[in-house]
Amino acid sequence: MKKYIFAGLTVLIWSTLAAMVKILLGDMPNLQMLAISSVFAFLFLLILNVANGSVKLMKQYVSKDYVKMAGLGFLGLFVYSALYYYGIGQLTSQQACILNYLWPIMLVVFSCIILREKMTVMKGVAMACSFIGIIILTMGMDATQSGGNVAVGVASCIIAAACYGLFSVLNKKADYNQNIAMMIIWLTTAVCAGALGVCTEHWGPIKGAQWLGLIWLGVVVDAVAYLLWALALNEAENTATIANLAYMTPFLSLIVSAVVVKEKVDITAVVALVFIIGGILMQSVVAQKTPR
């Protein structure tokens, strides 16, 4: 039950990500936003680890372990977030969010390859159903809706999805204490985004309201939600069961984008979500009938 509570809270929080990033991107560069929000994520986790005593666990790891954590951070949250945020800038927030949800499919595929989890026929059918939803969305995209480069935005979201799917599996396999690992991972993301951003972007001053958005991204979306998701995966015996819950995020994000960003709900996106949710329900039925 605990793993479902963790995953459910994560889904609710993640549904606000695309809309918040879309708003912030209107006034600041991609990497500046990522660097500053990652600093907030790191500081929050540092305070949390000091408060609950988890920081003492750092001495059980050697330099090789911290290098691995940094590598996970570079792949899974720096590269993933930089590409995904860029994709949101090129597409509408609802398009980018739904397209990004190739990553749970990638997670299941990588779990079968790396963690040797069983790939059943019905699991494959459920994944294919959700994947068809992604294809429908992509085919229905209109450049005039987003005002950006649709092809580049689509490619960015797909590569980002692959990075995060692989990250989730490797992070589970590494089996580090997630309080410590996520703190190091967000520190790595902040350093990488800051270093690259200073060299490639023009950073301006942050306004009052923007600080609130950055704090929400850093503390709630980045620190709390990603930590909850990592804990949910570690609690799960079958990764696919938890991964499919993540498909609820784009549905909720569609509503958030319509309310907050005032984006028109695209009928193509709705049709795509029908297929995606169909995959979720199918996988849930399969998971309930599969003996542990």
Side-chain angles (χ1 to χ4, degrees):
M1 177 60 68
K2 187 163 61 174
K3 60 178 178 278
Y4 293 110
I5 294 175
F6 290 158
L9 289 173
T10 302
V11 167
L12 290 174
I13 294 170
W14 276 349
S15 67
T16 68
L17 172 61
M20 181 61 67
V21 170
K22 190 72 174 180
I23 292 171
L24 290 174
L25 282 176
D27 297 305
M28 75 177 66
N30 179 3
L31 294 176
Q32 181 183 15
M33 175 176 57
L34 178 57
I36 297 174
S37 62
S38 297
V39 169
F40 282 124
F42 164 72
L43 292 176
F44 175 84
L45 291 172
L46 176 61
I47 294 171
L48 178 66
N49 288 331
V50 171
N52 64 20
S54 295
V55 71
K56 297 178 182 178
L57 299 176
M58 294 183 70
K59 62 183 179 182
Q60 75 184 30
Y61 299 122
V62 298
S63 57
K64 183 179 180 180
D65 293 314
Y66 289 109
V67 170
K68 289 182 179 179
M69 292 181 199
L72 287 171
F74 179 82
L75 169 70
L77 292 184
F78 168 60
V79 176
Y80 162 72
S81 299
L83 289 173
Y84 181 37
Y85 290 3
Y86 181 81
I88 292 175
Q90 301 303 309
L91 309 172
T92 66
S93 60
Q94 61 180 277
Q95 289 171 343
C97 181
I98 296 173
L99 184 59
N100 178 58
Y101 272 76
L102 277 170
W103 78 257
I105 296 176
M106 302 290 189
L107 188 155
V108 174
V109 171
F110 286 129
S111 293
C112 293
I113 296 173
I114 299 174
L115 302 180
R116 305 298 183 185
E117 293 187 0
K118 186 177 180 181
M119 172 62 77
T120 64
V121 173
M122 287 304 297
K123 187 184 292 186
V125 172
M127 288 168 52
C129 182
S130 295
F131 187 71
I132 288 172
I134 301 296
I135 294 175
I136 292 173
L137 176 71
T138 304
M139 293 178 63
M141 285 182 177
D142 183 356
T144 60
Q145 288 181 297
S146 62
N149 189 320
V150 170
V152 175
V154 168
S156 295
C157 289
I158 291 175
I159 297 172
C163 288
Y164 192 72
L166 180 57
F167 161 77
S168 294
V169 174
L170 293 177
N171 189 36
K172 180 177 181 178
K173 184 178 181 180
D175 197 28
Y176 292 123
N177 177 279
Q178 288 304 303
N179 290 283
I180 300 300
M182 294 307 296
M183 181 179 71
I184 301 301
I185 284 169
W186 280 116
L187 175 61
T188 303
T189 302
V191 171
C192 292
L196 183 60
V198 168
C199 296
T200 61
E201 298 175 339
H202 174 69
W203 289 17
I206 307 299
K207 302 175 183 177
Q210 292 173 333
W211 282 114
L212 295 178
L214 291 169
I215 292 172
W216 175 263
L217 282 181
V219 174
V220 182
V221 178
D222 293 346
V224 175
Y226 278 92
L227 178 58
L228 287 174
W229 182 251
L231 292 172
L233 288 179
N234 283 355
E235 290 279 339
E237 296 177 4
N238 188 330
T239 304
T241 305
I242 296 299
N244 277 273
L245 291 177
Y247 281 115
M248 292 302 297
T249 301
F251 176 76
L252 296 174
S253 182
L254 198 75
I255 299 174
V256 173
S257 294
V259 174
V260 177
V261 189
K262 307 300 181 183
E263 289 182 353
K264 181 180 179 180
V265 177
D266 192 340
I267 186 62
T268 304
V270 175
V271 173
L273 282 174
V274 169
F275 278 89
I276 292 173
I277 294 174
I280 299 171
L281 297 176
M282 190 181 302
Q283 178 58 44
S284 297
V285 171
V286 172
Q288 290 175 2
K289 294 182 178 180
T290 301
R292 294 290 183 264

